[in-house]
Amino acid sequence: MFYPGYYGFGYDPAYFVLVLVSMVLGFITQGYINSTYKKWSRVPSDGETGEQVARRMLNANGCERVGIRGVSGHLTDHYDPRDNNLYLSRDNCRGGSVASIAVACHEAGHAAQREQGYFMMKVRHALVPVVNFTQNVWMLVFLLGVFMNVSGLTTVAVALFGFTVIFHLVTLPVEINASRRAVAYIEQSGMSDANVRGARQVLTAAALTYVAAALTSVLQLLYILGRTRSDDE
């Protein structure tokens, strides 16, 4: 979150509303995913661990070369295309709950996306180095534009921040698609209705965190654009 109130914009009530909305969205979505995950982490799966189900899903999607490794932390699960490994937190790797298989299969879904050349994942992967750069420099460029009173620099800064918004928007279909693959595999593999229902709830809750992040970034961009234009007039 940037702080335009301290950098030449003055104290704007709209900015503090934006901060409040962002905080509330983050609090609600994070609380929902935590409570949903906790609920289904208490419900046993059909007898397999997250690692075992993820391995079967990977093999079924032609991802036999994808490795599975444990990683410390809570809900730190991810797929790293750089070394072609799933990294599952201890609870989800060795755990045999509905939540465990949901998260593990979601990450396996990302590996399947790569194996099958899913277009939006390619776009997201291409944006990663760009966003890593723009996130680190856009505020510096913005401040230079404000202090030097050069509107061209602030315009460049807004464009740089725009890559963050694009990244969040591209991430949404990537995450939703991985979750759909996970739920479809759990259902098609003959697991119980409880497993399917629980996996869907866990992954829907997780998707809402990405929706909130995308919405917040769009609101930030709209705010910056509005204030930049008003200052130019």
Side-chain angles (χ1 to χ4, degrees), residues 70-92:
V71 64
S72 60
H74 176 63
L75 292 180
T76 51
D77 312 80
H78 63 283
Y79 168 66
D80 192 337
R82 295 171 298 181
D83 61 7
N84 205 27
N85 281 309
L86 296 190
Y87 289 89
L88 301 179
S89 59
R90 183 175 302 174
D91 289 342
N92 292 328

Side-chain angles (χ1 to χ4, degrees), residues 85-106:
N85 281 309
L86 296 190
Y87 289 89
L88 301 179
S89 59
R90 183 175 302 174
D91 289 342
N92 292 328
C93 186
R94 301 176 182 175
S97 69
V98 172
S100 297
I101 63 170
V103 174
C105 286
H106 172 87

